[in-house]
């Protein structure tokens, strides 16, 4: 049973958001850490978030993870029988 295009896109979409939330804290310096901040702003607010880089990295990382997962699925490593046996559940 192969994934349909809509199922693949839905899996990639969820994976992309998970990876985005994992990459958000990398490379961010707060106003408190940098020592410079605008008056009236929170000291924990980021100076420069670099969201463009994070979106590119998120797309690349999630693409690699998705490709590995699809390869494993088509090779038979990610089927319901095998996964349920690994988790100790009867199928």
């Amino acid at each position: 049973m192969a994934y349909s295009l809509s199922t693949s896109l839905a899996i990639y979409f969820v994976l992309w958001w998970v990876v985005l939330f994992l990459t958000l804290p990398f490379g961010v310096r707060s106003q408190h850490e940098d020592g410079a901040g605008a008056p009236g702003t929170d000291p924990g607010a980021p100076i420069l978030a670099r969201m463009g880089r994070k979106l590119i990295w998120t797309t690349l990382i999630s693409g690699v993870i998705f490709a590995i997962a699809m390869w494993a699925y088509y090779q038979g490593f990610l089927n319901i029988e095998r996964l349920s046996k690994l988790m100790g559940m009867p199928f």
Side-chain angles (χ1 to χ4, degrees):
M1 178 169 110
Y3 281 123
S4 67
L5 181 62
S6 60
T7 304
S8 297
L9 289 175
I11 291 171
Y12 181 78
F13 178 76
V14 171
L15 179 66
W16 190 90
W17 278 100
V18 169
V19 173
L20 175 66
F21 287 125
L22 290 173
T23 59
L24 279 177
F26 289 104
V28 176
R29 293 186 50 83
S30 68
Q31 293 179 11
H32 176 71
E33 291 173 336
D34 205 38
T41 60
D42 186 76
I47 300 270
L48 184 59
R50 295 185 178 145
M51 284 304 294
R53 283 186 183 178
K54 290 180 196 276
L55 295 176
I56 291 170
W57 276 108
T58 298
T59 303
L60 292 174
I61 293 169
S62 57
V64 168
I65 294 171
F66 183 76
I68 291 170
M70 289 302 288
W71 173 82
Y73 175 75
Y74 283 116
Q75 294 298 318
F77 297 121
L78 295 178
N79 59 23
I80 191 71
E81 294 89 10
R82 182 178 221 146
L83 293 175
S84 63
K85 193 180 294 184
L86 282 173
M87 297 176 69
M89 295 188 291
F91 180 68

